[in-house]
Amino acid sequence: MKTILHAARAAAFFRMAALGGLCLLLALAAQPVSAAEYRLGVMDKLRIRVAEWQTAEGAIRDWSAVSGDYSVGADGSVSLPFIGQLPADGRTSGELAEEIGKKMQILFGLRDRPSASVEIAEYRPVYLAGEVQTPGAYPYAPGLTVLKAVSFGGGLRRADAGQRFARDFLRSEGEAAVYLAERNRLLIRRARVTAEMRGAEGIEMPKELATSQEAGAILESEKALKTSRERRLRVQLTALADLKSLLTNEIEALGKKSETQTRQLELVQGDLTKVDTLAEKGLAISSRRLALEQRTADLQAALLDIDTASLKAKQDINKATQDETNLQNDWDSQLAQELQNTEQELDTLALKLGTSRDLMSEALMQSADAAALKGGLSAANIVYSIQRTVEGKTEQIRATETTPVLPGDIVKVDVAVGTQ
């Protein structure tokens, strides 16, 4: 019986060793450099496998719930079930595997530490920039060199004897014309908003557009808009003022009506007092007294209705006054917001216009240089460089066609005009 148990444990041990050896061989075959040299980075895709040798049972436990394919996220970490976030950026696959085993042993209180293998399922891409036919991101392949990477992007950009630079100039010139027209429109809009805020009748032409022929039409358009907006505001304010005037007249009329009703009430109450005196002496009939009491009640109800209507009119006046204040405040707030937005748009356009003019100047110079080359890129010096991030720091590395490229590298190709 002991012999059988020993044989079973030995077989399990050899299975565990074979599993670990297979994981190691897969990791070594997938990486162009040794596991100790390659550092994981953002966008690396990992294949993680976890198994545990259980000494007490003499068997291997496969942690399939944790095993699987994962990606290093933008924060430089990899998220595993149960374990959570583990930092991966800048670490080797062996360091990450050891960390996974430790975390699982502590988390589940295991007697034996699980064995984890971390393989590179897919490297983060490399990037091509500069004078290549198709710049962009491309999958990394082991043994990649600068020349191979440039071939992914279709090789060096074909020269067109300055025609490309001429197209760049025309495109930049067109964009600059659009930005300039938009800037002129915004300058006149700012002048219109400023005039509205000051309550000025006219709009002053901005000094920057004093010699512009197109500015006159824009100015007339803004004047028409200003007139329309002010007319609408005046109509609204006039309507509220008229409403307040009508309500004031209504209150005055109700006051006069109240005075009349009060006098009638006093007369009726006087008659009622006399009737009461005569009734006590037996000289007045009860119907006469009842009619006077009814008349008194009607007059009192009418006075109450007049007071209620007068109070309602006063409330409406207060509301109309508040509407006037809100309307004016909204107008002022709208003008302030429009002025702020206009200033922001002017700042943005100033940057865009400056960039377009710089591109125009560069295109002119490049066009002249390209025309002087005659042979295009064949008569130019190709300069390669690699931008690489190591431990959070970006390095600029001079390169040749045979320089090895690592995952995440940015391969830049520049053309320097040279002499034959």
Side-chain angles (χ1 to χ4, degrees):
M1 187 68 181
K2 291 183 179 179
T3 303
I4 294 175
L5 179 60
H6 286 311
R9 290 181 176 178
F13 174 77
F14 284 121
R15 288 197 299 271
M16 183 64 182
L19 176 62
L22 177 60
C23 294
L24 179 60
L25 288 174
L26 288 173
L28 290 175
Q31 300 182 10
V33 293
S34 67
E37 294 176 353
Y38 182 71
R39 300 285 173 175
L40 302 177
V42 176
M43 296 180 66
D44 274 339
K45 294 184 179 179
L46 310 178
R47 181 169 293 114
I48 298 177
R49 300 175 184 175
V50 182
E52 174 195 356
W53 167 254
Q54 297 177 318
T55 305
E57 291 77 8
I60 297 175
R61 179 179 181 180
D62 183 17
W63 286 84
S64 59
V66 180
S67 301
D69 293 345
Y70 302 90
S71 297
V72 181
D75 59 351
S77 64
V78 60
S79 179
L80 301 178
F82 306 113
I83 300 176
Q85 299 286 111
L86 283 180
D89 189 20
R91 308 177 75 176
T92 65
S93 57
E95 292 171 347
L96 182 59
E98 184 178 358
E99 181 71 12
I100 293 172
K102 290 180 180 179
K103 291 285 186 181
M104 291 189 61
Q105 184 178 22
I106 296 173
L107 178 64
F108 295 103
L110 302 176
R111 176 181 178 182
D112 300 301
R113 179 179 297 175
S115 175
S117 69
V118 178
E119 307 168 12
I120 309 297
E122 183 178 330
Y123 292 94
R124 56 190 183 274
V126 295
Y127 303 88
L128 300 181
E131 294 298 324
V132 291
Q133 193 65 22
T134 310
Y138 292 90
Y140 175 82
L144 188 65
T145 63
V146 169
L147 184 58
K148 292 180 181 178
V150 171
S151 68
F152 288 166
L156 298 176
R157 181 178 295 171
R158 265 77 74 181
D160 51 8
Q163 294 181 9
R164 176 171 59 85
F165 301 114
R167 289 195 300 268
D168 292 344
F169 175 83
L170 292 175
R171 182 171 59 251
S172 299
E173 186 181 32
E175 291 176 351
V178 172
Y179 295 149
L180 190 59
E182 180 68 13
R183 189 204 65 164
N184 295 346
R185 187 179 64 82
L186 289 174
L187 287 173
I188 298 179
R189 181 203 292 177
R190 182 175 66 181
R192 186 258 302 165
V193 174
T194 304
E196 288 178 329
M197 296 179 71
R198 293 201 312 260
E201 295 184 1
I203 303 176
E204 296 182 2
M205 176 67 76
K207 297 179 180 179
E208 300 91 335
L209 306 179
T211 59
S212 175
Q213 298 178 354
E214 297 81 5
I218 303 176
L219 182 61
E220 292 302 322
S221 175
E222 290 293 333
K223 284 181 178 179
L225 176 61
K226 177 177 179 294
T227 301
S228 174
R229 286 159 54 92
E230 291 177 347
R231 183 186 302 114
R232 184 177 60 198
L233 178 63
R234 283 197 302 270
V235 168
Q236 292 175 330
L237 291 175
T238 301
L240 290 173
D242 292 343
L243 176 60
K244 290 170 63 177
S245 179
L246 290 173
L247 291 172
T248 301
N249 294 335
E250 181 181 353
I251 292 173
E252 292 178 357
L254 289 172
K256 294 178 180 180
K257 187 175 181 181
S258 177
E259 292 176 0
T260 303
Q261 294 288 338
T262 301
R263 285 196 300 270
Q264 291 180 2
L265 179 61
E266 291 174 353
L267 293 174
V268 173
Q269 287 177 341
D271 291 341
L272 182 60
T273 301
K274 293 177 182 180
V275 170
D276 287 341
T277 303
L278 294 174
E280 292 175 357
K281 297 178 180 181
L283 300 176
I285 58 177
S286 59
S287 60
R288 172 64 176 167
R289 184 175 183 276
L290 182 61
L292 289 173
E293 287 180 348
Q294 184 62 45
R295 178 60 177 165
T296 300
D298 292 342
L299 290 172
Q300 289 175 341
L303 283 172
L304 182 60
D305 291 341
I306 291 172
D307 292 340
T308 301
S310 179
L311 179 61
K312 176 65 168 57
K314 292 178 181 179
Q315 290 177 343
D316 290 342
I317 288 178
N318 291 335
K319 184 178 182 303
T321 302
Q322 184 63 44
D323 289 343
E324 280 182 338
T325 304
N326 292 339
L327 183 60
Q328 191 63 53
N329 290 341
D330 291 344
W331 172 262
D332 295 339
S333 176
Q334 179 184 354
L335 289 177
Q337 185 64 50
E338 189 174 4
L339 180 61
Q340 181 180 0
N341 293 340
T342 302
E343 294 287 0
Q344 291 177 351
E345 292 180 30
L346 280 171
D347 292 341
T348 302
L349 277 177
L351 293 175
K352 292 181 177 180
L353 189 58
T355 301
S356 295
R357 287 171 175 169
D358 291 342
L359 291 175
M360 289 167 61
S361 299
E362 182 180 356
L364 283 175
M365 292 187 295
Q366 294 285 359
S367 179
D369 292 339
L373 286 177
K374 296 182 181 179
L377 293 181
S378 60
N381 296 322
I382 308 303
V383 180
Y384 300 104
S385 62
I386 295 177
Q387 184 174 312
R388 180 176 298 164
T389 301
V390 180
E391 296 181 355
K393 297 181 179 180
T394 302
E395 301 178 352
Q396 194 77 17
I397 304 172
R398 293 184 64 85
T400 64
E401 293 181 346
T402 58
T403 301
V405 178
L406 300 182
D409 282 354
I410 300 176
V411 179
K412 186 175 181 182
V413 181
D414 292 317
V415 178
V417 177
T419 56
Q420 293 294 331

